[in-house]
């Protein structure tokens, strides 16, 4: 019985996670459709700059 309830809980969590992911995809695609290319590109550049800056900092620490 205990294992069955655990599996049921995991299945429900998986379904909730899928629904949340699909809602995120819908919201992000709506944002992309409503945002002009220049603004979207600027945001992507800022995001990537942050990622690569962290990578460079961590690389310097490892040396």
């Amino acid at each position: 019985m205990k294992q069955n309830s655990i599996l049921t809980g995991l299945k429900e969590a998986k379904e909730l996670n899928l629904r949340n992911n699909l809602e995120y995809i819908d919201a992000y695609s709506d944002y992309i459709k409503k945002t002009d290319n220049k603004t979207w590109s600027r945001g992507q550049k800022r995001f990537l700059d942050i990622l690569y800056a962290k990578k460079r900092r961590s690389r310097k620490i490892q040396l």
Side-chain angles (χ1 to χ4, degrees):
M1 282 294 194
K2 185 177 181 182
Q3 185 177 7
N4 191 23
S5 64
I6 292 173
L7 291 176
T8 303
L10 289 173
K11 184 177 179 181
E12 291 172 358
K14 182 179 177 181
E15 290 172 1
L16 179 63
N17 187 33
L18 177 62
R19 269 189 263 125
N20 287 338
N21 287 343
L22 292 174
E23 287 176 10
Y24 172 79
I25 290 169
D26 287 341
Y28 190 66
S29 64
D30 287 342
Y31 166 76
I32 290 174
K33 290 175 187 175
K34 294 176 184 176
T35 307
D36 65 300
N37 192 39
K38 189 173 183 176
T39 303
W40 183 84
S41 296
R42 191 177 325 124
Q44 290 298 307
K45 181 186 179 315
R46 287 180 59 216
F47 174 72
L48 292 173
D49 286 346
I50 290 168
L51 286 180
Y52 285 116
K54 286 182 181 181
K55 187 175 182 180
R56 277 181 281 180
R57 283 195 304 263
S58 65
R59 190 181 305 156
K60 289 178 183 177
I61 293 170
Q62 291 174 352
L63 295 176

